[in-house]
Amino acid sequence: MKRSWPRLFAVFAANLLWLRSASAQNVSSETLRSVAAIVTDDDQGGRRPAGTGFFVDVPSKAFAGNSFVYFVTARHNLLDSQGRARRQLWVRLEDSNTRVIQDDPLVQEPRWILDPKDPSADVAAIPFSPSKTRFSTIPISWFLNQSSSTTIAVDSQIGSDAYYLTMTSSDGVNPRFVPVARFGKVSVAEPTQSQVPGAGKTYLCFIDGTSGSELSGAPVFLRTPEQFVFWGMMEAKAADSSNNPLGGLVGVVPASYIAETVLAMAQRQESIRRKTTVSN
């Protein structure tokens, strides 16, 4: 049969456009800049990936129009293979003016805040709002069960569409940041106790997807008919356990752990600011 190349090209272009639009509909553009790569020094004098982190903001209750901004990641990203605090960690961001990639230093693990209710949870956060860099935040109102408008039954999440985000840099003379979204389906919707190498026992949900150490700490979102919801944080190390009965799936730290941590910090910071304001 004779092929009409212009027609085939038009069909291909139409299909490509559909794929792009479908991808855009499945990922919230507001979340693309909420992630940042965490890197650590290597033995060759360079830097290598250590994980992913993301920014969360909690509005102030006492000071209208103000928010507290936090950087969140998996605690094990801050530790070496022996469980000791890494000597130096950096968060890799993009300069808002020059678009040049830069590494901002992060404090060592003992100065990060852990989950106040469950210190064994593989979560760590710090107040961090880097200046002159391009980043966005995930509002606390996006967290599952933190917004009154979010009513998702746990049972209905199984099989739901999920995506998780990380950030990479393009090659070339002038490398640029490229947000990367990966997709999966919710496989275990109710938190289940799991053994995480280097982090101990913790409660995780699970999705099907691709695992990798650089993905630990990546934010995970659910797409509902009405909105996008922050569901939790990637726990890539959960897939490292040979005794894991959920092998082949990727762990997700539930959003409630992150919410507990950042809300406790916001409450403490708010109290300090109130005292400071009164004394002045």
Side-chain angles (χ1 to χ4, degrees):
M1 184 176 73
K2 185 177 180 181
R3 293 183 175 87
S4 171
W5 291 110
R7 179 178 176 79
L8 287 176
F9 179 78
V11 171
F12 171 78
N15 286 337
L16 183 62
L17 181 61
W18 181 85
L19 287 171
R20 285 177 176 172
S21 63
S23 176
Q25 290 172 359
N26 288 328
V27 175
S28 167
S29 60
E30 298 175 58
T31 63
L32 294 180
R33 288 278 167 182
S34 65
V35 292
I38 298 174
V39 296
T40 187
D41 298 339
D42 60 25
D43 296 334
Q44 287 72 44
R47 288 172 186 164
R48 58 181 176 81
T52 297
F54 57 95
F55 294 93
V56 175
D57 77 81
V58 179
S60 170
K61 295 180 180 179
F63 303 91
N66 292 311
S67 290
F68 302 104
V69 177
Y70 303 104
F71 188 59
V72 182
T73 190
R75 180 177 177 239
H76 77 257
N77 289 339
L78 313 177
L79 307 174
D80 62 19
S81 57
Q82 282 74 47
R84 298 172 302 196
R86 295 185 191 271
R87 284 186 302 171
Q88 184 60 66
L89 286 165
W90 313 81
V91 57
R92 184 156 285 176
L93 295 164
E94 192 174 70
D95 186 280
S96 55
N97 295 320
T98 64
R99 304 294 175 88
V100 172
I101 294 174
Q102 64 182 50
D103 291 346
D104 283 8
L106 292 170
V107 298
Q108 286 190 304
E109 186 269 344
R111 295 175 62 185
W112 289 62
I113 306 300
L114 308 183
D115 187 303
K117 294 183 180 178
D118 184 2
S120 66
D122 196 19
V123 176
I126 51 169
F128 188 55
S129 182
S131 61
K132 299 181 180 179
T133 56
R134 296 184 71 200
F135 75 96
S136 61
T137 59
I138 302 170
I140 192 69
S141 60
W142 276 44
F143 280 49
L144 181 63
N145 298 328
Q146 290 298 313
S147 171
S148 58
S149 62
T150 302
T151 53
I152 304 175
V154 171
D155 291 341
S156 67
Q157 291 177 16
I158 297 176
S160 297
D161 292 324
Y163 73 92
Y164 44 106
L165 292 173
T166 187
M167 193 71 76
T168 187
S169 55
S170 62
D171 295 326
V173 178
N174 298 308
R176 292 287 182 267
F177 268 138
V178 180
V180 178
R182 302 190 183 188
F183 300 86
K185 297 281 188 181
V186 175
S187 298
V188 178
E190 194 164 352
T192 304
Q193 191 177 71
S194 304
Q195 184 73 33
V196 179
K201 292 182 179 180
T202 189
Y203 283 87
L204 302 175
C205 300
F206 287 85
I207 63 173
D208 63 341
T210 304
S211 180
S213 58
E214 75 282 358
L215 292 175
S216 274
V220 185
F221 300 88
L222 294 181
R223 177 177 168 79
T224 74
E226 299 83 18
Q227 62 192 52
F228 294 96
V229 178
F230 175 73
W231 189 49
M233 179 180 69
M234 288 288 288
E235 178 58 276
K237 289 202 73 172
D240 294 343
S241 175
S242 58
N243 298 322
N244 181 12
L246 298 168
L249 301 176
V250 185
V252 178
V253 178
S256 57
Y257 288 102
I258 294 98
E260 288 170 357
T261 307
V262 297
L263 287 172
M265 281 195 291
Q267 185 177 16
R268 180 174 175 79
Q269 284 189 280
E270 193 126 55
S271 176
I272 293 172
R273 288 187 61 180
R274 282 175 175 167
K275 291 178 180 177
T276 304
T277 302
V278 170
S279 63
N280 290 337

PDB file of all heavy atoms in Angstrom, residues 186-210:
ATOM      1  N   VAL A 186      -1.031   3.298  42.814  1.00  0.00           N
ATOM      2  CA  VAL A 186      -1.025   2.985  44.235  1.00  0.00           C
ATOM      3  C   VAL A 186      -1.284   1.491  44.414  1.00  0.00           C
ATOM      4  O   VAL A 186      -2.280   0.961  43.928  1.00  0.00           O
ATOM      5  CB  VAL A 186      -2.105   3.795  44.979  1.00  0.00           C
ATOM      6  CG1 VAL A 186      -2.177   3.379  46.440  1.00  0.00           C
ATOM      7  CG2 VAL A 186      -1.816   5.287  44.861  1.00  0.00           C
ATOM      8  N   SER A 187      -0.365   0.814  45.089  1.00  0.00           N
ATOM      9  CA  SER A 187      -0.490  -0.627  45.317  1.00  0.00           C
ATOM     10  C   SER A 187      -0.884  -0.957  46.749  1.00  0.00           C
ATOM     11  O   SER A 187      -1.640  -1.893  46.992  1.00  0.00           O
ATOM     12  CB  SER A 187       0.838  -1.326  44.983  1.00  0.00           C
ATOM     13  OG  SER A 187       1.170  -1.153  43.623  1.00  0.00           O
ATOM     14  N   VAL A 188      -0.336  -0.225  47.722  1.00  0.00           N
ATOM     15  CA  VAL A 188      -0.686  -0.400  49.139  1.00  0.00           C
ATOM     16  C   VAL A 188      -1.067   0.976  49.674  1.00  0.00           C
ATOM     17  O   VAL A 188      -0.198   1.842  49.818  1.00  0.00           O
ATOM     18  CB  VAL A 188       0.483  -0.998  49.949  1.00  0.00           C
ATOM     19  CG1 VAL A 188       0.095  -1.131  51.423  1.00  0.00           C
ATOM     20  CG2 VAL A 188       0.888  -2.353  49.379  1.00  0.00           C
ATOM     21  N   ALA A 189      -2.350   1.170  49.938  1.00  0.00           N
ATOM     22  CA  ALA A 189      -2.832   2.504  50.307  1.00  0.00           C
ATOM     23  C   ALA A 189      -2.795   2.758  51.805  1.00  0.00           C
ATOM     24  O   ALA A 189      -2.697   3.901  52.242  1.00  0.00           O
ATOM     25  CB  ALA A 189      -4.263   2.698  49.792  1.00  0.00           C
ATOM     26  N   GLU A 190      -2.865   1.693  52.600  1.00  0.00           N
ATOM     27  CA  GLU A 190      -2.864   1.860  54.051  1.00  0.00           C
ATOM     28  C   GLU A 190      -1.457   1.599  54.580  1.00  0.00           C
ATOM     29  O   GLU A 190      -0.847   0.579  54.243  1.00  0.00           O
ATOM     30  CB  GLU A 190      -3.851   0.891  54.692  1.00  0.00           C
ATOM     31  CG  GLU A 190      -4.156   1.227  56.134  1.00  0.00           C
ATOM     32  CD  GLU A 190      -5.404   0.507  56.632  1.00  0.00           C
ATOM     33  OE1 GLU A 190      -6.106  -0.120  55.816  1.00  0.00           O
ATOM     34  OE2 GLU A 190      -5.647   0.577  57.843  1.00  0.00           O
ATOM     35  N   PRO A 191      -0.884   2.506  55.388  1.00  0.00           N
ATOM     36  CA  PRO A 191       0.499   2.338  55.870  1.00  0.00           C
ATOM     37  C   PRO A 191       0.728   0.974  56.511  1.00  0.00           C
ATOM     38  O   PRO A 191      -0.049   0.524  57.350  1.00  0.00           O
ATOM     39  CB  PRO A 191       0.655   3.473  56.889  1.00  0.00           C
ATOM     40  CG  PRO A 191      -0.323   4.506  56.443  1.00  0.00           C
ATOM     41  CD  PRO A 191      -1.497   3.752  55.884  1.00  0.00           C
ATOM     42  N   THR A 192       1.811   0.313  56.093  1.00  0.00           N
ATOM     43  CA  THR A 192       2.168  -1.021  56.552  1.00  0.00           C
ATOM     44  C   THR A 192       3.584  -0.991  57.109  1.00  0.00           C
ATOM     45  O   THR A 192       4.476  -0.384  56.511  1.00  0.00           O
ATOM     46  CB  THR A 192       2.098  -2.027  55.384  1.00  0.00           C
ATOM     47  OG1 THR A 192       0.784  -1.983  54.813  1.00  0.00           O
ATOM     48  CG2 THR A 192       2.410  -3.435  55.844  1.00  0.00           C
ATOM     49  N   GLN A 193       3.812  -1.647  58.249  1.00  0.00           N
ATOM     50  CA  GLN A 193       5.142  -1.634  58.832  1.00  0.00           C
ATOM     51  C   GLN A 193       6.128  -2.350  57.917  1.00  0.00           C
ATOM     52  O   GLN A 193       5.885  -3.466  57.465  1.00  0.00           O
ATOM     53  CB  GLN A 193       5.149  -2.283  60.211  1.00  0.00           C
ATOM     54  CG  GLN A 193       6.462  -2.048  60.960  1.00  0.00           C
ATOM     55  CD  GLN A 193       6.463  -2.633  62.356  1.00  0.00           C
ATOM     56  OE1 GLN A 193       6.503  -3.839  62.517  1.00  0.00           O
ATOM     57  NE2 GLN A 193       6.428  -1.766  63.370  1.00  0.00           N
ATOM     58  N   SER A 194       7.261  -1.682  57.646  1.00  0.00           N
ATOM     59  CA  SER A 194       8.272  -2.221  56.741  1.00  0.00           C
ATOM     60  C   SER A 194       9.654  -1.976  57.334  1.00  0.00           C
ATOM     61  O   SER A 194       9.846  -1.065  58.146  1.00  0.00           O
ATOM     62  CB  SER A 194       8.169  -1.556  55.367  1.00  0.00           C
ATOM     63  OG  SER A 194       6.877  -1.695  54.829  1.00  0.00           O
ATOM     64  N   GLN A 195      10.597  -2.780  56.912  1.00  0.00           N
ATOM     65  CA  GLN A 195      11.985  -2.630  57.352  1.00  0.00           C
ATOM     66  C   GLN A 195      12.758  -1.878  56.282  1.00  0.00           C
ATOM     67  O   GLN A 195      12.819  -2.316  55.134  1.00  0.00           O
ATOM     68  CB  GLN A 195      12.629  -3.998  57.593  1.00  0.00           C
ATOM     69  CG  GLN A 195      14.051  -3.941  58.139  1.00  0.00           C
ATOM     70  CD  GLN A 195      14.093  -3.507  59.603  1.00  0.00           C
ATOM     71  OE1 GLN A 195      13.186  -3.811  60.372  1.00  0.00           O
ATOM     72  NE2 GLN A 195      15.147  -2.814  59.987  1.00  0.00           N
ATOM     73  N   VAL A 196      13.331  -0.754  56.653  1.00  0.00           N
ATOM     74  CA  VAL A 196      14.102   0.055  55.707  1.00  0.00           C
ATOM     75  C   VAL A 196      15.575  -0.020  56.094  1.00  0.00           C
ATOM     76  O   VAL A 196      15.939   0.398  57.198  1.00  0.00           O
ATOM     77  CB  VAL A 196      13.630   1.526  55.708  1.00  0.00           C
ATOM     78  CG1 VAL A 196      14.463   2.353  54.738  1.00  0.00           C
ATOM     79  CG2 VAL A 196      12.152   1.609  55.361  1.00  0.00           C
ATOM     80  N   PRO A 197      16.446  -0.541  55.232  1.00  0.00           N
ATOM     81  CA  PRO A 197      17.877  -0.628  55.565  1.00  0.00           C
ATOM     82  C   PRO A 197      18.441   0.735  55.949  1.00  0.00           C
ATOM     83  O   PRO A 197      18.272   1.714  55.219  1.00  0.00           O
ATOM     84  CB  PRO A 197      18.504  -1.137  54.259  1.00  0.00           C
ATOM     85  CG  PRO A 197      17.397  -1.878  53.581  1.00  0.00           C
ATOM     86  CD  PRO A 197      16.148  -1.117  53.911  1.00  0.00           C
ATOM     87  N   GLY A 198      19.084   0.809  57.117  1.00  0.00           N
ATOM     88  CA  GLY A 198      19.682   2.055  57.575  1.00  0.00           C
ATOM     89  C   GLY A 198      18.712   2.993  58.252  1.00  0.00           C
ATOM     90  O   GLY A 198      19.112   4.029  58.789  1.00  0.00           O
ATOM     91  N   ALA A 199      17.421   2.650  58.219  1.00  0.00           N
ATOM     92  CA  ALA A 199      16.427   3.527  58.837  1.00  0.00           C
ATOM     93  C   ALA A 199      15.530   2.788  59.815  1.00  0.00           C
ATOM     94  O   ALA A 199      14.759   3.421  60.539  1.00  0.00           O
ATOM     95  CB  ALA A 199      15.572   4.196  57.755  1.00  0.00           C
ATOM     96  N   GLY A 200      15.616   1.462  59.850  1.00  0.00           N
ATOM     97  CA  GLY A 200      14.823   0.693  60.794  1.00  0.00           C
ATOM     98  C   GLY A 200      13.397   0.478  60.326  1.00  0.00           C
ATOM     99  O   GLY A 200      13.080   0.579  59.145  1.00  0.00           O
ATOM    100  N   LYS A 201      12.517   0.170  61.298  1.00  0.00           N
ATOM    101  CA  LYS A 201      11.122  -0.096  60.984  1.00  0.00           C
ATOM    102  C   LYS A 201      10.348   1.201  60.861  1.00  0.00           C
ATOM    103  O   LYS A 201      10.505   2.112  61.664  1.00  0.00           O
ATOM    104  CB  LYS A 201      10.501  -0.984  62.065  1.00  0.00           C
ATOM    105  CG  LYS A 201      11.049  -2.403  62.095  1.00  0.00           C
ATOM    106  CD  LYS A 201      10.361  -3.236  63.155  1.00  0.00           C
ATOM    107  CE  LYS A 201      10.899  -4.666  63.155  1.00  0.00           C
ATOM    108  NZ  LYS A 201      10.252  -5.510  64.187  1.00  0.00           N
ATOM    109  N   THR A 202       9.522   1.265  59.850  1.00  0.00           N
ATOM    110  CA  THR A 202       8.698   2.447  59.651  1.00  0.00           C
ATOM    111  C   THR A 202       7.450   2.035  58.892  1.00  0.00           C
ATOM    112  O   THR A 202       7.410   0.965  58.282  1.00  0.00           O
ATOM    113  CB  THR A 202       9.465   3.546  58.886  1.00  0.00           C
ATOM    114  OG1 THR A 202       8.700   4.755  58.899  1.00  0.00           O
ATOM    115  CG2 THR A 202       9.742   3.135  57.452  1.00  0.00           C
ATOM    116  N   TYR A 203       6.435   2.861  58.935  1.00  0.00           N
ATOM    117  CA  TYR A 203       5.186   2.557  58.242  1.00  0.00           C
ATOM    118  C   TYR A 203       5.190   3.229  56.874  1.00  0.00           C
ATOM    119  O   TYR A 203       5.413   4.436  56.762  1.00  0.00           O
ATOM    120  CB  TYR A 203       3.987   3.020  59.065  1.00  0.00           C
ATOM    121  CG  TYR A 203       3.683   2.100  60.223  1.00  0.00           C
ATOM    122  CD1 TYR A 203       4.320   2.266  61.450  1.00  0.00           C
ATOM    123  CD2 TYR A 203       2.783   1.046  60.078  1.00  0.00           C
ATOM    124  CE1 TYR A 203       4.058   1.408  62.510  1.00  0.00           C
ATOM    125  CE2 TYR A 203       2.524   0.177  61.135  1.00  0.00           C
ATOM    126  CZ  TYR A 203       3.157   0.363  62.335  1.00  0.00           C
ATOM    127  OH  TYR A 203       2.914  -0.501  63.373  1.00  0.00           O
ATOM    128  N   LEU A 204       4.938   2.429  55.836  1.00  0.00           N
ATOM    129  CA  LEU A 204       4.993   2.926  54.464  1.00  0.00           C
ATOM    130  C   LEU A 204       3.767   2.484  53.671  1.00  0.00           C
ATOM    131  O   LEU A 204       3.198   1.417  53.939  1.00  0.00           O
ATOM    132  CB  LEU A 204       6.237   2.409  53.741  1.00  0.00           C
ATOM    133  CG  LEU A 204       7.613   2.715  54.339  1.00  0.00           C
ATOM    134  CD1 LEU A 204       8.696   2.015  53.526  1.00  0.00           C
ATOM    135  CD2 LEU A 204       7.867   4.217  54.394  1.00  0.00           C
ATOM    136  N   CYS A 205       3.387   3.298  52.713  1.00  0.00           N
ATOM    137  CA  CYS A 205       2.500   2.872  51.639  1.00  0.00           C
ATOM    138  C   CYS A 205       3.400   2.455  50.475  1.00  0.00           C
ATOM    139  O   CYS A 205       4.622   2.637  50.534  1.00  0.00           O
ATOM    140  CB  CYS A 205       1.575   4.009  51.227  1.00  0.00           C
ATOM    141  SG  CYS A 205       0.512   4.606  52.574  1.00  0.00           S
ATOM    142  N   PHE A 206       2.815   1.918  49.396  1.00  0.00           N
ATOM    143  CA  PHE A 206       3.640   1.468  48.276  1.00  0.00           C
ATOM    144  C   PHE A 206       2.969   1.782  46.945  1.00  0.00           C
ATOM    145  O   PHE A 206       1.735   1.771  46.827  1.00  0.00           O
ATOM    146  CB  PHE A 206       3.906  -0.042  48.354  1.00  0.00           C
ATOM    147  CG  PHE A 206       4.881  -0.420  49.433  1.00  0.00           C
ATOM    148  CD1 PHE A 206       4.448  -0.611  50.739  1.00  0.00           C
ATOM    149  CD2 PHE A 206       6.233  -0.560  49.157  1.00  0.00           C
ATOM    150  CE1 PHE A 206       5.341  -0.946  51.752  1.00  0.00           C
ATOM    151  CE2 PHE A 206       7.130  -0.894  50.155  1.00  0.00           C
ATOM    152  CZ  PHE A 206       6.681  -1.093  51.451  1.00  0.00           C
ATOM    153  N   ILE A 207       3.813   2.082  45.967  1.00  0.00           N
ATOM    154  CA  ILE A 207       3.353   2.231  44.590  1.00  0.00           C
ATOM    155  C   ILE A 207       4.249   1.386  43.694  1.00  0.00           C
ATOM    156  O   ILE A 207       5.350   1.003  44.077  1.00  0.00           O
ATOM    157  CB  ILE A 207       3.393   3.703  44.113  1.00  0.00           C
ATOM    158  CG1 ILE A 207       4.830   4.235  44.116  1.00  0.00           C
ATOM    159  CG2 ILE A 207       2.503   4.578  44.956  1.00  0.00           C
ATOM    160  CD1 ILE A 207       4.948   5.620  43.507  1.00  0.00           C
ATOM    161  N   ASP A 208       3.759   1.061  42.499  1.00  0.00           N
ATOM    162  CA  ASP A 208       4.642   0.429  41.537  1.00  0.00           C
ATOM    163  C   ASP A 208       5.396   1.532  40.817  1.00  0.00           C
ATOM    164  O   ASP A 208       4.877   2.611  40.575  1.00  0.00           O
ATOM    165  CB  ASP A 208       3.862  -0.446  40.549  1.00  0.00           C
ATOM    166  CG  ASP A 208       2.888   0.348  39.689  1.00  0.00           C
ATOM    167  OD1 ASP A 208       2.555   1.480  40.086  1.00  0.00           O
ATOM    168  OD2 ASP A 208       2.457  -0.137  38.639  1.00  0.00           O
ATOM    169  N   GLY A 209       6.648   1.298  40.521  1.00  0.00           N
ATOM    170  CA  GLY A 209       7.450   2.334  39.885  1.00  0.00           C
ATOM    171  C   GLY A 209       8.915   1.970  39.908  1.00  0.00           C
ATOM    172  O   GLY A 209       9.304   0.885  40.340  1.00  0.00           O
ATOM    173  N   THR A 210       9.743   2.876  39.415  1.00  0.00           N
ATOM    174  CA  THR A 210      11.183   2.664  39.332  1.00  0.00           C
ATOM    175  C   THR A 210      11.864   3.244  40.558  1.00  0.00           C
ATOM    176  O   THR A 210      11.602   4.385  40.944  1.00  0.00           O
ATOM    177  CB  THR A 210      11.751   3.344  38.064  1.00  0.00           C
ATOM    178  OG1 THR A 210      11.058   2.842  36.927  1.00  0.00           O
ATOM    179  CG2 THR A 210      13.226   3.048  37.915  1.00  0.00           C
TER     180      THR A 210
END
